[in-house]
Structures are given as C-alpha cells and as structure tokens.
Amino acid sequence: MTQTAPDYFAHPTAVLDEGCRIGAGTRIWHFCHVSSGAELGEACSLGQNVFVADGVRLGRNVKVQNNVSLYSGVHCHDDVFIGPSAVFTNVRNPRAGVPRRHQYQATVLEQGVSIGANSTIVCGVHLGAYAFVGAGSVVTKDVLPYALVYGNPARQHGWVSQHGHRLQFDATGAAACPESGWQYQLTGQRVSRMSAEH
C-alpha cells in the first residue's frame, strides 16, 4: 500500500499523536507536541516547543510562537497570533488533590486576535475579533472586539484596527486606520469596520 506524503511540514523532533488533524500548509517546528484529538487548520505555524492538547481547535493561519502551551478548551478562530511564552489555563481553581478533568472551561479567541508575549489568559474568557492583548498582561475577563487591553489584571486602554494600529475617534465616532485607510465607527462601546474592501 502506497502512503501519500503529508501536505504539511513537521520537524523530525515534533511528536504528532495518532488522531490529531493537521491542515494543509501548516508548519510544525522543533520539539512540538500535538495531542490526539487536536485540530489545526490550514497554513498554521507552531514555533519551537509548542504543546497542543486534546480538544484544542485552531482555525486557518493561526501563528503560535515559541514555548506556548494550548490546553484543552482553547479555540482559536482564523488569523489569531499568540506571542512567545503566552500561557493559557483551563481550570480556575486547580488543586493537585482534586481531580477536575471534566471541569475544563472554554477559552475562545475570535478572528484576528493578537496575544502579546508572556501574557496569561485565564480560562473561560472570550476575546472578541481583532482584540489586542499587550505583552505581559493577565486577562481575567472577556475582551470586546477591537479592544486594546494590557496590564495585570488587563484593562482596556483604547481601540485598534484590524492592522493593529490605535484608532483615534472624532466627535462623530469615526476613525481611520493609518496603515490601511479603512474606516471604523464607534457606537457606544462597540467598534465596527465600515469599509468593505480588503
């Protein structure tokens, strides 16, 4: 029986457990471990020493930098960026003597979210589309789409565009991204992109 070569790249030191699913064009580098039941979408990248637990789901074009562990319950939509040494949890009150394997909480990162290096994302939170978490932050609560948060605990300090630039809204609630020129509208505590072209 002829075996077909995989349509993804995995370094020889990577451990891919039987039953994991890996999308076309994905790159998995040195000393990574992808567990059985994990799902990686197309064109993802796992940097050195990344652990992906059973049940983790990554969308398309998710970039995970070195030394990140993604534990059960983490779900990343497309185009998510996770900086080096970021930490995710899956139980809020862990005790070595109290088994809680069936109490893992989901953590959802919507499309385009960026997580800065050395940040900690406490389980059970929902990060809205294109939210930006500054380096070294500790996220304990949900984050709105396009929100810029940082600190310990992380608090909101403004808004960012899909290209990651701060948005400066005028009196009418309008702003433009300085890189793309795309227009954004702030209504109450919600930001939406007005321009349709990509």
Side-chain angles (χ1 to χ4, degrees):
M1 181 174 178
T2 303
Q3 288 190 333
T4 304
D7 52 4
Y8 58 84
F9 168 80
H11 190 269
T13 60
V15 176
L16 308 180
D17 290 346
E18 185 176 354
C20 67
R21 298 174 61 185
I22 301 170
T26 287
R27 298 178 308 280
I28 301 171
W29 294 100
H30 307 65
F31 310 116
C32 290
H33 181 187
V34 182
S35 300
S36 176
E39 297 182 21
L40 281 61
E42 296 179 356
C44 291
S45 176
L46 304 185
Q48 182 171 299
N49 195 37
V50 170
F51 171 69
V52 184
D54 179 24
V56 170
R57 289 180 293 161
L58 305 184
R60 188 181 188 285
N61 192 44
V62 174
K63 309 299 184 190
V64 184
Q65 302 299 297
N66 296 354
N67 304 313
V68 173
S69 291
L70 301 174
Y71 295 115
S72 298
V74 173
H75 179 196
C76 298
H77 290 249
D78 297 347
D79 302 321
V80 167
F81 174 87
I82 300 173
S85 300
V87 175
F88 290 79
T89 70
N90 57 11
V91 174
R92 287 208 172 226
N93 56 342
R95 293 291 198 191
V98 182
R100 294 203 165 105
R101 292 183 59 85
H102 300 292
Q103 299 177 25
Y104 293 158
Q105 297 186 43
T107 301
V108 178
L109 284 66
E110 294 284 356
Q111 181 171 358
V113 166
S114 289
I115 306 295
N118 291 301
S119 294
T120 298
I121 312 298
V122 175
C123 62
V125 300
H126 189 114
L127 282 70
Y130 302 102
F132 197 107
V133 177
S137 300
V138 179
V139 177
T140 61
K141 297 179 180 178
D142 291 352
V143 179
L144 292 170
Y146 298 103
L148 168 64
V149 300
Y150 54 84
N152 181 6
R155 292 186 171 88
Q156 186 172 347
H157 296 274
W159 306 96
V160 292
S161 70
Q162 290 185 21
H163 287 69
H165 296 282
R166 278 202 182 216
L167 292 171
Q168 304 295 332
F169 291 97
D170 63 21
T172 69
C177 172
E179 180 176 351
S180 67
W182 293 350
Q183 301 293 314
Y184 293 82
Q185 183 66 42
L186 175 63
T187 305
Q189 284 298 302
R190 295 287 173 177
V191 169
S192 56
R193 184 167 73 87
M194 307 305 292
S195 178
E197 62 269 17
H198 288 274

